[in-house]
Amino acid sequence: GENVEQHPSTLSVQEGDSAVIKCTYSDSASNYFPWYKQELGKRPQLIIDIRSNVGEKKDQRIAVTLNKTAKHFSLHITETQPEDSAVYFCAAIWSNNDMRFGAGTRLTVKP
Amino acid sequence: KAGVTQTPRYLIKTRGQQVTLSCSPISGHRSVSWYQQTPGQGLQFLFEYFSETQRNKGNFPGRFSGRQFSNSRSEMNVSTLELGDSALYLCASRSGLFNTGELFFGEGSRLTVL
């Protein structure tokens, strides 16, 4: 079946620490993996994405890694700040255009 | 460029009724997808429309349906409402030419079923 599992469901870190969120997917044909951030009461917004021909991508304090063999990808946030507090969703786009999101991770960054 | 617009923003219905939600995508975007968001369940994919055709469908019962018009605006309909249908319904648009690319979400329609 087609499924994206996301862990952990909640994550609390101290300001300045790193945060890592992991997702696994079931369809080896999946070729695109975006991450969305949803702040409280707001709409989800894309923060970073990676395609299946790339192993890692960075954008300032945010990075995503992809392991196609193991079918998992991770979001890494370094030097966390209170404004990073939000719900983060991973997603995997299957080759047939099917879109599947993980259940979300609620990240809390304590000042 | 105007963002994705969803109407109505809030609505209350009773069990057994039906509801229609509307989504106007970003100008030029031909793909509109719909999601149900509930606490703990994340974003559940309902369906995607591209150029007036349903391109993909998630695992929801037939009570959930949608359509897309020639101007790319989309509607979703839920018939015979159940209490469990209470949720935030988000739509998202993208250019749709490829299966990748950023999804631009609307603010959602919050449905409460009593």
Side-chain angles (χ1 to χ4, degrees), chain B residues 16-80:
Chain B
Q17 287 187 311
Q18 66 93 27
V19 66
T20 299
L21 308 178
S22 179
C23 174
S24 293
I26 289 173
S27 178
H29 285 187
R30 293 160 62 187
S31 165
V32 174
S33 50
W34 289 88
Y35 299 85
Q36 182 193 68
Q37 185 172 29
T38 54
Q41 292 294 317
L43 294 163
Q44 302 283 314
F45 172 66
L46 282 154
F47 29 66
E48 183 199 9
Y49 286 87
F50 178 77
S51 293
E52 301 179 68
T53 301
Q54 187 180 83
R55 187 155 69 173
N56 233 321
K57 189 176 189 304
N59 298 321
F60 277 80
R63 299 185 298 107
F64 292 80
S65 63
R67 58 178 176 169
Q68 187 179 35
F69 302 95
S70 58
N71 62 357
S72 293
R73 188 178 70 86
S74 176
E75 289 181 346
M76 69 162 280
N77 182 278
V78 188
S79 61
T80 320

Side-chain angles (χ1 to χ4, degrees), chain A:
Chain A
E2 297 160 340
N3 193 32
V4 179
E5 293 189 2
Q6 182 172 348
H7 299 281
S9 57
T10 60
L11 179 59
S12 182
V13 300
Q14 208 65 37
E15 183 177 359
D17 287 350
S18 295
V20 180
I21 303 170
K22 298 180 180 180
C23 289
T24 60
Y25 59 99
S26 57
D27 188 343
S28 56
S30 190
N31 59 9
Y32 175 65
F33 308 89
W35 285 88
Y36 284 81
K37 174 184 180 182
Q38 186 177 29
E39 296 177 15
L40 189 62
K42 297 190 176 180
R43 66 192 81 187
Q45 290 189 303
L46 179 72
I47 54 172
I48 195 167
D49 56 15
I50 191 168
R51 298 171 194 273
S52 59
N53 59 345
V54 175
E56 184 177 4
K57 183 177 178 180
K58 286 184 180 179
D59 183 4
Q60 299 182 340
R61 297 186 296 108
I62 293 173
V64 57
T65 58
L66 171 65
N67 184 327
K68 281 216 73 180
T69 303
K71 289 189 279 187
H72 69 69
F73 56 112
S74 300
L75 178 72
H76 304 254
I77 306 174
T78 58
E79 301 172 25
T80 53
Q81 301 167 4
E83 50 265 39
D84 294 330
S85 295
V87 178
Y88 292 81
F89 294 97
C90 64
I93 310 300
W94 265 247
S95 56
N96 66 348
N97 287 324
D98 215 16
M99 307 177 201
R100 293 288 183 256
F101 280 81
T105 296
R106 182 173 298 279
L107 172 65
T108 303
V109 180
K110 297 185 237 180

